């Protein structure tokens, strides 16, 4: 397919696709394309992982070069960018040339930019993607992937990409942007989820099961009202202590740590939170909102 910027055609729902990498995510993606009637070629380091997909009609390419040659649109879903180079680094440049590499492998923004340049040197175009759903959400109309890279190339393939997640959201030209947004999502996700594991450990020490605090956890982890309240204030540099004060936050964080220690469970996470709060106090933010911690966190902890 011609991907020249001046004449990029829009792909159809039946565009042939190649999927490289058949972990849980790549397998779900190849399956979603099969469900929608695409001709799907797959390749995986461990070829046996393709068995179920082949039984459903996927073609298993014997080599990476064959997989690349089978379709212009190549979805790449690997553990990280080291794996990307391990797989594509020895590919025939002629097989890479002209491909659109939809790189849904997560890693740092810098690595995403480097990989886009690496692809461009070989005549390929990278669209970087950050998938905001687990494999169970692949193929659903209600899920989202953030993309960045050349908009015209994205638009030419949008319909096909919407097979994977109902929303394919192009956020900008910078190939590192989607990787950045994905990592911003993950720093919030992993930290919040670990806070839930912490709460369950503390609850268990007191004989409470996960079911006993399920409603409490759902409500506590829903930070929508806080995000909507603080976002405009932080953007305006407004850390007034009219609603909350960091000094109060320190006292509260101490109570959390003491409750964990008293229960005999791991206190590393509450101690880390308290450490950040105390650094905010030391920086003179005691009478400010806890949002002033953003200013503390903008600098490395030396
Ligand atoms: P996995 O880590 O399970 O994917 C593993 C894939 O990478 C397999 O195909 C594996 O091959 C291949 N691989 C790893 N190292 C190498 C290597 N050195 N050489 C060749 N192939 C290699 O991840 P997932 O499938 O779960 O996810 C894929 C990507 O999607 C990741 O970047 C992940 O961060 C991202 N993602 C995952 C989500 C999830 O919930 N799973 C959610 C959102 C994004 P083999 O089978 O041979 O081991």
């Amino acid at each position: 397919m011609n991907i020249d910027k001046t004449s990029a055609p829009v792909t159809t729902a039946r565009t042939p696709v190649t999927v490289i990498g058949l972990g849980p995510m790549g397998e779900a993606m190849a399956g979603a394309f099969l469900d929608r009637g695409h001709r799907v070629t797959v390749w995986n380091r461990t070829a046996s992982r393709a068995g179920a997909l082949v039984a459903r009609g996927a073609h298993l390419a014997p080599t990476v070069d064959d997989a690349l040659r089978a379709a212009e649109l190549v979805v790449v879903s690997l553990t990280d960018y080291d794996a990307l180079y391990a797989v594509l680094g020895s590919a025939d440049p002629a097989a890479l040339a002209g491909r659109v590499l939809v790189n849904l492998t997560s890693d740092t923004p810098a690595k995403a930019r480097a990989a886009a340049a690496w692809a461009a040197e070989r005549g390929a175009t990278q669209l970087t993607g950050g998938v905001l759903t687990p494999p169970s959400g692949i193929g659903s109309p209600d899920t989202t992937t953030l993309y960045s890279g050349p908009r015209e190339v994205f638009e030419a393939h949008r319909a096909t990409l919407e097979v994977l997640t109902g929303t394919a959201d192009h956020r900008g030209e910078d190939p590192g942007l989607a990787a950045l947004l994905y990592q911003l999502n993950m720093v919030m996700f992993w930290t919040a989820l670990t806070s839930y594991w912490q709460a369950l450990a503390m609850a268990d020490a007191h004989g409470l099961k996960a079911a006993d605090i399920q409603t409490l956890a759902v409500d506590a982890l829903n930070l929508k009202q806080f995000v909507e309240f603080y976002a405009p204030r932080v953007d305006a540099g407004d850390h007034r202590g009219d609603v909350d004060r960091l000094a109060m936050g320190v006292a509260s964080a101490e109570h959390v740590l003491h409750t964990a220690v008293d229960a005999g469970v791991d206190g590393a996470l509450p101690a880390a939170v308290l450490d950040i709060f105390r650094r905010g106090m030391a920086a003179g933010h005691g009478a400010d909102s806890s949002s002033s911690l953003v200013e503390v966190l903008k600098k490395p902890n030396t």
Side-chain angles (χ1 to χ4, degrees), residues 21-26 44-46 49 77-79 83 86-87 104-106 131 133-135 182:
L22 299 177
M25 196 51 107
N44 195 50
R45 176 179 63 178
T46 308
R49 294 231 166 105
S77 177
L78 297 165
T79 303
V87 171
L104 304 178
T105 303
S106 78
V131 183
T133 179
Y182 179 80

PDB file of all heavy atoms in Angstrom, residues 21-26 44-46 49 77-79 83 86-87 104-106 131 133-135 182, ligand 1:
ATOM      1  N   GLY A  21       4.997 -11.067  17.910  1.00  0.00           N
ATOM      2  CA  GLY A  21       4.957 -11.135  19.373  1.00  0.00           C
ATOM      3  C   GLY A  21       3.615 -11.668  19.824  1.00  0.00           C
ATOM      4  O   GLY A  21       2.587 -11.021  19.622  1.00  0.00           O
ATOM      5  N   LEU A  22       3.644 -12.860  20.397  1.00  0.00           N
ATOM      6  CA  LEU A  22       2.396 -13.505  20.808  1.00  0.00           C
ATOM      7  C   LEU A  22       2.392 -13.806  22.300  1.00  0.00           C
ATOM      8  O   LEU A  22       2.107 -14.918  22.739  1.00  0.00           O
ATOM      9  CB  LEU A  22       2.159 -14.793  19.992  1.00  0.00           C
ATOM     10  CG  LEU A  22       2.022 -14.596  18.484  1.00  0.00           C
ATOM     11  CD1 LEU A  22       1.854 -15.951  17.786  1.00  0.00           C
ATOM     12  CD2 LEU A  22       0.844 -13.681  18.145  1.00  0.00           C
ATOM     13  N   GLY A  23       2.729 -12.770  23.088  1.00  0.00           N
ATOM     14  CA  GLY A  23       2.428 -12.850  24.512  1.00  0.00           C
ATOM     15  C   GLY A  23       0.916 -12.727  24.645  1.00  0.00           C
ATOM     16  O   GLY A  23       0.199 -12.719  23.639  1.00  0.00           O
ATOM     17  N   PRO A  24       0.414 -12.591  25.868  1.00  0.00           N
ATOM     18  CA  PRO A  24      -1.033 -12.463  26.046  1.00  0.00           C
ATOM     19  C   PRO A  24      -1.623 -11.335  25.196  1.00  0.00           C
ATOM     20  O   PRO A  24      -2.723 -11.464  24.638  1.00  0.00           O
ATOM     21  CB  PRO A  24      -1.180 -12.154  27.539  1.00  0.00           C
ATOM     22  CG  PRO A  24       0.054 -12.747  28.160  1.00  0.00           C
ATOM     23  CD  PRO A  24       1.148 -12.621  27.147  1.00  0.00           C
ATOM     24  N   MET A  25      -0.885 -10.221  25.076  1.00  0.00           N
ATOM     25  CA  MET A  25      -1.400  -9.073  24.340  1.00  0.00           C
ATOM     26  C   MET A  25      -1.411  -9.332  22.832  1.00  0.00           C
ATOM     27  O   MET A  25      -2.426  -9.123  22.157  1.00  0.00           O
ATOM     28  CB  MET A  25      -0.542  -7.850  24.668  1.00  0.00           C
ATOM     29  CG  MET A  25      -1.134  -6.544  24.299  1.00  0.00           C
ATOM     30  SD  MET A  25      -2.811  -6.346  24.905  1.00  0.00           S
ATOM     31  CE  MET A  25      -2.592  -5.174  26.217  1.00  0.00           C
ATOM     32  N   GLY A  26      -0.274  -9.783  22.293  1.00  0.00           N
ATOM     33  CA  GLY A  26      -0.209 -10.034  20.857  1.00  0.00           C
ATOM     34  C   GLY A  26      -1.189 -11.116  20.422  1.00  0.00           C
ATOM     35  O   GLY A  26      -1.808 -11.012  19.361  1.00  0.00           O
ATOM     36  N   ASN A  44       6.300 -15.505  16.173  1.00  0.00           N
ATOM     37  CA  ASN A  44       6.707 -15.421  17.580  1.00  0.00           C
ATOM     38  C   ASN A  44       7.975 -16.233  17.760  1.00  0.00           C
ATOM     39  O   ASN A  44       8.171 -17.258  17.104  1.00  0.00           O
ATOM     40  CB  ASN A  44       5.598 -15.988  18.484  1.00  0.00           C
ATOM     41  CG  ASN A  44       5.802 -15.601  19.929  1.00  0.00           C
ATOM     42  OD1 ASN A  44       6.005 -14.422  20.236  1.00  0.00           O
ATOM     43  ND2 ASN A  44       5.761 -16.559  20.837  1.00  0.00           N
ATOM     44  N   ARG A  45       8.852 -15.741  18.656  1.00  0.00           N
ATOM     45  CA  ARG A  45      10.102 -16.472  18.926  1.00  0.00           C
ATOM     46  C   ARG A  45       9.795 -17.923  19.286  1.00  0.00           C
ATOM     47  O   ARG A  45      10.422 -18.842  18.772  1.00  0.00           O
ATOM     48  CB  ARG A  45      10.858 -15.786  20.071  1.00  0.00           C
ATOM     49  CG  ARG A  45      12.100 -16.514  20.498  1.00  0.00           C
ATOM     50  CD  ARG A  45      12.797 -15.763  21.604  1.00  0.00           C
ATOM     51  NE  ARG A  45      11.970 -15.664  22.824  1.00  0.00           N
ATOM     52  CZ  ARG A  45      12.354 -15.086  23.948  1.00  0.00           C
ATOM     53  NH1 ARG A  45      13.558 -14.526  24.021  1.00  0.00           N
ATOM     54  NH2 ARG A  45      11.551 -15.032  25.004  1.00  0.00           N
ATOM     55  N   THR A  46       8.828 -18.100  20.164  1.00  0.00           N
ATOM     56  CA  THR A  46       8.398 -19.452  20.522  1.00  0.00           C
ATOM     57  C   THR A  46       7.198 -19.780  19.639  1.00  0.00           C
ATOM     58  O   THR A  46       6.054 -19.401  19.931  1.00  0.00           O
ATOM     59  CB  THR A  46       8.015 -19.511  22.019  1.00  0.00           C
ATOM     60  OG1 THR A  46       9.098 -18.980  22.792  1.00  0.00           O
ATOM     61  CG2 THR A  46       7.716 -20.934  22.444  1.00  0.00           C
ATOM     62  N   ARG A  49       3.500 -20.999  20.493  1.00  0.00           N
ATOM     63  CA  ARG A  49       2.459 -20.123  21.046  1.00  0.00           C
ATOM     64  C   ARG A  49       1.430 -19.725  19.985  1.00  0.00           C
ATOM     65  O   ARG A  49       0.377 -19.178  20.315  1.00  0.00           O
ATOM     66  CB  ARG A  49       3.079 -18.851  21.632  1.00  0.00           C
ATOM     67  CG  ARG A  49       3.944 -19.091  22.838  1.00  0.00           C
ATOM     68  CD  ARG A  49       3.561 -18.182  24.001  1.00  0.00           C
ATOM     69  NE  ARG A  49       4.182 -18.664  25.231  1.00  0.00           N
ATOM     70  CZ  ARG A  49       5.231 -18.100  25.815  1.00  0.00           C
ATOM     71  NH1 ARG A  49       5.741 -16.992  25.328  1.00  0.00           N
ATOM     72  NH2 ARG A  49       5.741 -18.613  26.909  1.00  0.00           N
ATOM     73  N   SER A  77       4.203  -6.447  19.297  1.00  0.00           N
ATOM     74  CA  SER A  77       3.828  -6.489  20.718  1.00  0.00           C
ATOM     75  C   SER A  77       4.817  -7.394  21.448  1.00  0.00           C
ATOM     76  O   SER A  77       4.618  -8.602  21.551  1.00  0.00           O
ATOM     77  CB  SER A  77       2.393  -7.019  20.864  1.00  0.00           C
ATOM     78  OG  SER A  77       2.049  -7.134  22.236  1.00  0.00           O
ATOM     79  N   LEU A  78       5.873  -6.781  21.933  1.00  0.00           N
ATOM     80  CA  LEU A  78       6.955  -7.528  22.600  1.00  0.00           C
ATOM     81  C   LEU A  78       7.134  -6.989  24.016  1.00  0.00           C
ATOM     82  O   LEU A  78       6.553  -5.961  24.383  1.00  0.00           O
ATOM     83  CB  LEU A  78       8.249  -7.401  21.800  1.00  0.00           C
ATOM     84  CG  LEU A  78       8.176  -8.012  20.387  1.00  0.00           C
ATOM     85  CD1 LEU A  78       9.335  -7.539  19.527  1.00  0.00           C
ATOM     86  CD2 LEU A  78       8.125  -9.533  20.448  1.00  0.00           C
ATOM     87  N   THR A  79       7.961  -7.643  24.798  1.00  0.00           N
ATOM     88  CA  THR A  79       8.126  -7.254  26.196  1.00  0.00           C
ATOM     89  C   THR A  79       8.686  -5.843  26.324  1.00  0.00           C
ATOM     90  O   THR A  79       8.206  -5.040  27.126  1.00  0.00           O
ATOM     91  CB  THR A  79       9.067  -8.242  26.913  1.00  0.00           C
ATOM     92  OG1 THR A  79       8.536  -9.556  26.776  1.00  0.00           O
ATOM     93  CG2 THR A  79       9.233  -7.893  28.376  1.00  0.00           C
ATOM     94  N   ALA A  83      13.776  -6.500  23.151  1.00  0.00           N
ATOM     95  CA  ALA A  83      13.184  -7.609  22.392  1.00  0.00           C
ATOM     96  C   ALA A  83      12.890  -7.182  20.952  1.00  0.00           C
ATOM     97  O   ALA A  83      13.061  -7.978  20.006  1.00  0.00           O
ATOM     98  CB  ALA A  83      11.913  -8.095  23.083  1.00  0.00           C
ATOM     99  N   ALA A  86      16.021  -7.428  19.158  1.00  0.00           N
ATOM    100  CA  ALA A  86      16.383  -8.852  19.054  1.00  0.00           C
ATOM    101  C   ALA A  86      15.619  -9.502  17.905  1.00  0.00           C
ATOM    102  O   ALA A  86      16.145 -10.372  17.207  1.00  0.00           O
ATOM    103  CB  ALA A  86      16.102  -9.572  20.372  1.00  0.00           C
ATOM    104  N   VAL A  87      14.379  -9.052  17.695  1.00  0.00           N
ATOM    105  CA  VAL A  87      13.541  -9.665  16.653  1.00  0.00           C
ATOM    106  C   VAL A  87      13.776  -9.013  15.290  1.00  0.00           C
ATOM    107  O   VAL A  87      13.966  -9.703  14.283  1.00  0.00           O
ATOM    108  CB  VAL A  87      12.052  -9.567  17.048  1.00  0.00           C
ATOM    109  CG1 VAL A  87      11.154 -10.001  15.900  1.00  0.00           C
ATOM    110  CG2 VAL A  87      11.782 -10.417  18.289  1.00  0.00           C
ATOM    111  N   LEU A 104       3.405  -1.463  19.690  1.00  0.00           N
ATOM    112  CA  LEU A 104       2.603  -1.421  20.916  1.00  0.00           C
ATOM    113  C   LEU A 104       3.369  -2.004  22.094  1.00  0.00           C
ATOM    114  O   LEU A 104       2.799  -2.325  23.129  1.00  0.00           O
ATOM    115  CB  LEU A 104       1.287  -2.177  20.685  1.00  0.00           C
ATOM    116  CG  LEU A 104       0.489  -1.651  19.487  1.00  0.00           C
ATOM    117  CD1 LEU A 104      -0.780  -2.460  19.279  1.00  0.00           C
ATOM    118  CD2 LEU A 104       0.150  -0.179  19.648  1.00  0.00           C
ATOM    119  N   THR A 105       4.672  -2.121  21.894  1.00  0.00           N
ATOM    120  CA  THR A 105       5.585  -2.554  22.946  1.00  0.00           C
ATOM    121  C   THR A 105       5.815  -1.377  23.878  1.00  0.00           C
ATOM    122  O   THR A 105       6.074  -0.279  23.416  1.00  0.00           O
ATOM    123  CB  THR A 105       6.918  -2.947  22.294  1.00  0.00           C
ATOM    124  OG1 THR A 105       6.662  -3.962  21.322  1.00  0.00           O
ATOM    125  CG2 THR A 105       7.934  -3.424  23.302  1.00  0.00           C
ATOM    126  N   SER A 106       5.731  -1.616  25.179  1.00  0.00           N
ATOM    127  CA  SER A 106       5.925  -0.462  26.068  1.00  0.00           C
ATOM    128  C   SER A 106       7.384  -0.340  26.494  1.00  0.00           C
ATOM    129  O   SER A 106       8.073  -1.336  26.698  1.00  0.00           O
ATOM    130  CB  SER A 106       5.014  -0.559  27.292  1.00  0.00           C
ATOM    131  OG  SER A 106       5.533  -1.463  28.224  1.00  0.00           O
ATOM    132  N   VAL A 131      -1.196   0.947  24.974  1.00  0.00           N
ATOM    133  CA  VAL A 131      -2.480   0.255  25.086  1.00  0.00           C
ATOM    134  C   VAL A 131      -2.999   0.390  26.515  1.00  0.00           C
ATOM    135  O   VAL A 131      -2.337  -0.041  27.463  1.00  0.00           O
ATOM    136  CB  VAL A 131      -2.325  -1.238  24.725  1.00  0.00           C
ATOM    137  CG1 VAL A 131      -3.678  -1.949  24.770  1.00  0.00           C
ATOM    138  CG2 VAL A 131      -1.667  -1.393  23.361  1.00  0.00           C
ATOM    139  N   THR A 133      -5.462  -1.026  28.115  1.00  0.00           N
ATOM    140  CA  THR A 133      -6.359  -2.098  28.555  1.00  0.00           C
ATOM    141  C   THR A 133      -5.563  -3.385  28.673  1.00  0.00           C
ATOM    142  O   THR A 133      -4.576  -3.558  27.953  1.00  0.00           O
ATOM    143  CB  THR A 133      -7.525  -2.294  27.552  1.00  0.00           C
ATOM    144  OG1 THR A 133      -8.371  -3.364  27.997  1.00  0.00           O
ATOM    145  CG2 THR A 133      -7.005  -2.666  26.170  1.00  0.00           C
ATOM    146  N   PRO A 134      -5.968  -4.279  29.549  1.00  0.00           N
ATOM    147  CA  PRO A 134      -5.340  -5.606  29.542  1.00  0.00           C
ATOM    148  C   PRO A 134      -5.834  -6.396  28.332  1.00  0.00           C
ATOM    149  O   PRO A 134      -6.747  -5.958  27.615  1.00  0.00           O
ATOM    150  CB  PRO A 134      -5.823  -6.234  30.861  1.00  0.00           C
ATOM    151  CG  PRO A 134      -7.054  -5.488  31.232  1.00  0.00           C
ATOM    152  CD  PRO A 134      -6.923  -4.114  30.646  1.00  0.00           C
ATOM    153  N   PRO A 135      -5.235  -7.558  28.082  1.00  0.00           N
ATOM    154  CA  PRO A 135      -5.623  -8.340  26.895  1.00  0.00           C
ATOM    155  C   PRO A 135      -7.121  -8.621  26.819  1.00  0.00           C
ATOM    156  O   PRO A 135      -7.683  -8.690  25.722  1.00  0.00           O
ATOM    157  CB  PRO A 135      -4.813  -9.640  27.063  1.00  0.00           C
ATOM    158  CG  PRO A 135      -3.579  -9.207  27.816  1.00  0.00           C
ATOM    159  CD  PRO A 135      -4.049  -8.152  28.771  1.00  0.00           C
ATOM    160  N   TYR A 182       1.729   6.601  28.154  1.00  0.00           N
ATOM    161  CA  TYR A 182       1.554   5.256  28.704  1.00  0.00           C
ATOM    162  C   TYR A 182       2.259   5.142  30.055  1.00  0.00           C
ATOM    163  O   TYR A 182       1.695   4.598  31.017  1.00  0.00           O
ATOM    164  CB  TYR A 182       2.092   4.209  27.723  1.00  0.00           C
ATOM    165  CG  TYR A 182       1.959   2.804  28.251  1.00  0.00           C
ATOM    166  CD1 TYR A 182       0.737   2.127  28.178  1.00  0.00           C
ATOM    167  CD2 TYR A 182       3.028   2.160  28.846  1.00  0.00           C
ATOM    168  CE1 TYR A 182       0.603   0.851  28.688  1.00  0.00           C
ATOM    169  CE2 TYR A 182       2.899   0.881  29.359  1.00  0.00           C
ATOM    170  CZ  TYR A 182       1.690   0.232  29.269  1.00  0.00           C
ATOM    171  OH  TYR A 182       1.559  -1.034  29.784  1.00  0.00           O
TER     172      TYR A 182
HETATM  173  P1  LIG B   1       4.913 -10.360  27.336  1.00  0.00           P
HETATM  174  O1  LIG B   1       6.112  -9.891  28.063  1.00  0.00           O
HETATM  175  O2  LIG B   1       4.216 -11.573  27.822  1.00  0.00           O
HETATM  176  O3  LIG B   1       5.251 -10.517  25.773  1.00  0.00           O
HETATM  177  C1  LIG B   1       6.148 -11.358  25.483  1.00  0.00           C
HETATM  178  C2  LIG B   1       6.405 -11.366  23.995  1.00  0.00           C
HETATM  179  O4  LIG B   1       7.687 -10.801  23.771  1.00  0.00           O
HETATM  180  C3  LIG B   1       6.425 -12.779  23.550  1.00  0.00           C
HETATM  181  O5  LIG B   1       6.036 -12.826  22.202  1.00  0.00           O
HETATM  182  C4  LIG B   1       7.882 -13.128  23.715  1.00  0.00           C
HETATM  183  O6  LIG B   1       8.293 -14.208  22.945  1.00  0.00           O
HETATM  184  C5  LIG B   1       8.506 -11.847  23.201  1.00  0.00           C
HETATM  185  N1  LIG B   1       9.874 -11.633  23.617  1.00  0.00           N
HETATM  186  C6  LIG B   1      10.341 -11.195  24.815  1.00  0.00           C
HETATM  187  N2  LIG B   1      11.674 -11.128  24.795  1.00  0.00           N
HETATM  188  C7  LIG B   1      12.076 -11.515  23.559  1.00  0.00           C
HETATM  189  C8  LIG B   1      13.331 -11.627  22.911  1.00  0.00           C
HETATM  190  N3  LIG B   1      14.479 -11.318  23.559  1.00  0.00           N
HETATM  191  N4  LIG B   1      13.354 -12.035  21.649  1.00  0.00           N
HETATM  192  C9  LIG B   1      12.199 -12.326  20.999  1.00  0.00           C
HETATM  193  N5  LIG B   1      10.970 -12.234  21.541  1.00  0.00           N
HETATM  194  C10 LIG B   1      10.916 -11.811  22.815  1.00  0.00           C
HETATM  195  O7  LIG B   1       3.975  -9.172  27.268  1.00  0.00           O
HETATM  196  P2  LIG B   1       2.420  -9.008  26.895  1.00  0.00           P
HETATM  197  O8  LIG B   1       2.036  -9.819  25.734  1.00  0.00           O
HETATM  198  O9  LIG B   1       1.626  -9.102  28.138  1.00  0.00           O
HETATM  199  O10 LIG B   1       2.488  -7.475  26.484  1.00  0.00           O
HETATM  200  C11 LIG B   1       3.177  -7.036  25.333  1.00  0.00           C
HETATM  201  C12 LIG B   1       3.442  -5.550  25.449  1.00  0.00           C
HETATM  202  O11 LIG B   1       2.199  -4.893  25.715  1.00  0.00           O
HETATM  203  C13 LIG B   1       4.385  -5.202  26.616  1.00  0.00           C
HETATM  204  O12 LIG B   1       5.255  -4.168  26.216  1.00  0.00           O
HETATM  205  C14 LIG B   1       3.444  -4.728  27.697  1.00  0.00           C
HETATM  206  O13 LIG B   1       4.063  -3.788  28.562  1.00  0.00           O
HETATM  207  C15 LIG B   1       2.336  -4.092  26.877  1.00  0.00           C
HETATM  208  N6  LIG B   1       1.059  -4.090  27.584  1.00  0.00           N
HETATM  209  C16 LIG B   1       0.640  -5.219  28.210  1.00  0.00           C
HETATM  210  C17 LIG B   1      -0.533  -5.213  28.925  1.00  0.00           C
HETATM  211  C18 LIG B   1      -1.001  -6.459  29.629  1.00  0.00           C
HETATM  212  O14 LIG B   1      -1.915  -6.361  30.442  1.00  0.00           O
HETATM  213  N7  LIG B   1      -0.452  -7.632  29.325  1.00  0.00           N
HETATM  214  C19 LIG B   1      -1.356  -3.998  29.048  1.00  0.00           C
HETATM  215  C20 LIG B   1      -0.868  -2.885  28.262  1.00  0.00           C
HETATM  216  C21 LIG B   1       0.310  -2.945  27.579  1.00  0.00           C
HETATM  217  P3  LIG B   1       8.205 -15.710  23.537  1.00  0.00           P
HETATM  218  O15 LIG B   1       6.773 -16.106  23.470  1.00  0.00           O
HETATM  219  O16 LIG B   1       9.090 -16.484  22.672  1.00  0.00           O
HETATM  220  O17 LIG B   1       8.706 -15.635  24.978  1.00  0.00           O
END
